[in-house]
């Protein structure tokens, strides 16, 4: 089955760190660019980060640049998001999403179910 | 880069047609034919409905169609059904290697 499964979400205090993972199956993970997209409770979608298939290009939203790091291990079919310096406003459901182009276009044909990150003291 | 602008809510009766607008700028929607639309039901992940302004992925009903004029993209849903109720988001390449989403539109089927 073609799917993405996220994990690693948890409750953490402000200033803390978390690492999210997204395991891909049923397709050639190494051929696809990948993204993290988040959604705060009751709010809209927000693009977080993009990584090209061979990690040659990486881009971030201004809101997370310098605090979050996207990476991937194509041998393990896994996408990661290292989140440091977490803030209250980072509280959200985090989705991994498969891209179709070699650029971050917003065209995501496959999404995971998400993993919840809660930042609170 | 600012988010794209969508109406907060729209509504329609079963069988009717509705249109959801998504307004950007000449730097994003106005320049690139890279607008996508997503449907999201409560507690679920978004589902791709439209890509590249007006293309439908395999399996998406032809009741959903997309278009663009200038800096505004639109999603039209014809023959409204109860199952269409949910949230709808537009997305666009924003130039400078960023992706912009709209704030979302809640569709109510009366």
């Amino acid at each position: 089955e073609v799917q993405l499964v996220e994990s690693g979400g948890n409750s953490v205090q402000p200033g803390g760190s978390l690492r999210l993972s997204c395991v891909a199956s049923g397709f050639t993970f190494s051929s696809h660019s990948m993204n993290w997209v988040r959604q705060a409770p009751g709010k809209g979608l927000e693009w977080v980060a993009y990584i090209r298939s061979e990690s040659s290009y990486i881009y971030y939203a201004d809101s997370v640049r310098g605090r979050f790091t996207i990476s991937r291990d194509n041998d393990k079919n896994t996408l990661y998001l290292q989140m440091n310096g977490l803030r209250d406003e980072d509280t959200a459901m985090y989705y991994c999403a498969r891209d179709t182009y070699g650029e971050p276009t917003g065209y995501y044909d496959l999404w995971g179910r998400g993993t919840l990150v809660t930042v609170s003291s | 880069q600012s988010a794209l602008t969508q109406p907060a809510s729209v509504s329609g009766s079963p069988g009717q047609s509705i249109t959801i607008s998504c307004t950007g700028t000449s730097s994003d929607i106005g320049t690139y034919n890279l607008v996508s639309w997503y449907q999201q039901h409560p507690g679920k992940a978004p589902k791709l409905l439209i890509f590249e302004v007006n293309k439908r992925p395999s399996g998406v009903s032809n009741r959903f169609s997309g278009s663009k004029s200038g800096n505004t993209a639109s999603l039209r849903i014809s023959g409204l059904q109860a199952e269409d109720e949910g949230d709808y988001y537009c997305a666009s390449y924003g130039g400078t290697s960023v992706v912009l989403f709209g704030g979302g539109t809640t569709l109510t089927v009366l």
Side-chain angles (χ1 to χ4, degrees), chain B residues 2-110:
Chain B
S2 300
L4 307 173
T5 301
Q6 298 180 233
S9 63
V10 297
S11 63
S13 299
Q16 288 186 333
S17 297
I18 62 94
T19 299
I20 299 172
S21 62
C22 171
T23 302
T25 70
S26 57
S27 299
D28 40 72
I29 292 178
T31 296
Y32 304 99
N33 289 323
L34 294 171
V35 178
S36 302
W37 288 91
Y38 298 89
Q39 177 192 60
Q40 187 180 35
H41 290 129
K44 301 293 187 181
K47 173 189 173 184
L48 179 68
L49 294 177
I50 298 288
F51 65 99
E52 292 179 10
V53 176
N54 56 15
K55 299 178 182 178
R56 274 188 314 274
S58 173
V60 172
S61 171
N62 60 9
R63 297 186 300 105
F64 296 93
S65 61
S67 62
K68 187 185 90 165
S69 177
N71 299 337
T72 299
S74 298
L75 173 71
R76 184 173 187 268
I77 308 174
S78 60
L80 271 179
Q81 301 178 359
E83 67 206 51
D84 297 332
E85 199 164 89
D87 294 327
Y88 291 81
Y89 295 92
C90 60
S92 174
Y93 179 56
T96 62
S97 302
V98 299
V99 172
L100 304 175
F101 277 98
T105 299
T106 298
L107 168 62
T108 301
V109 180
L110 302 171

Side-chain angles (χ1 to χ4, degrees), chain A residues 50-66:
Chain A
Y50 162 97
I51 185 168
R52 199 172 284 188
S53 56
E54 294 300 325
S55 304
S56 50
Y57 290 91
I58 289 174
Y59 305 113
Y60 298 98
D62 288 346
S63 57
V64 305
R65 186 177 295 112

Side-chain angles (χ1 to χ4, degrees), chain A residues 3-120:
Chain A
Q3 64 178 354
L4 299 168
V5 179
E6 302 94 336
S7 62
N10 210 332
S11 182
V12 62
Q13 293 187 338
S17 298
L18 275 179
R19 189 176 84 153
L20 306 183
S21 299
C22 169
V23 177
S25 59
F27 66 97
T28 306
F29 178 72
S30 61
S31 295
H32 289 268
S33 300
M34 297 295 296
N35 298 261
W36 288 99
V37 177
R38 68 184 180 183
Q39 185 171 33
K43 302 296 184 182
L45 301 171
E46 179 189 15
W47 172 75
V48 172
Y50 162 97
I51 185 168
R52 199 172 284 188
S53 56
E54 294 300 325
S55 304
S56 50
Y57 290 91
I58 289 174
Y59 305 113
Y60 298 98
D62 288 346
S63 57
V64 305
R65 186 177 295 112
R67 300 187 299 123
F68 289 11
T69 302
I70 188 172
S71 63
R72 64 192 295 162
D73 185 334
N74 287 343
D75 292 332
K76 295 182 178 179
N77 290 339
T78 303
L79 175 72
Y80 302 102
L81 186 67
Q82 177 66 43
M83 303 186 295
N84 299 330
L86 283 162
R87 305 167 179 169
D88 290 350
E89 56 264 35
D90 295 320
T91 293
M93 182 71 78
Y94 284 74
Y95 296 99
C96 64
R98 186 176 74 176
D99 214 306
T100 309
Y101 294 123
E103 291 294 328
T105 60
Y107 170 13
Y108 309 135
D109 64 345
L110 180 65
W111 296 66
R113 294 185 176 184
T115 187
L116 184 61
V117 172
T118 302
V119 184
S120 173

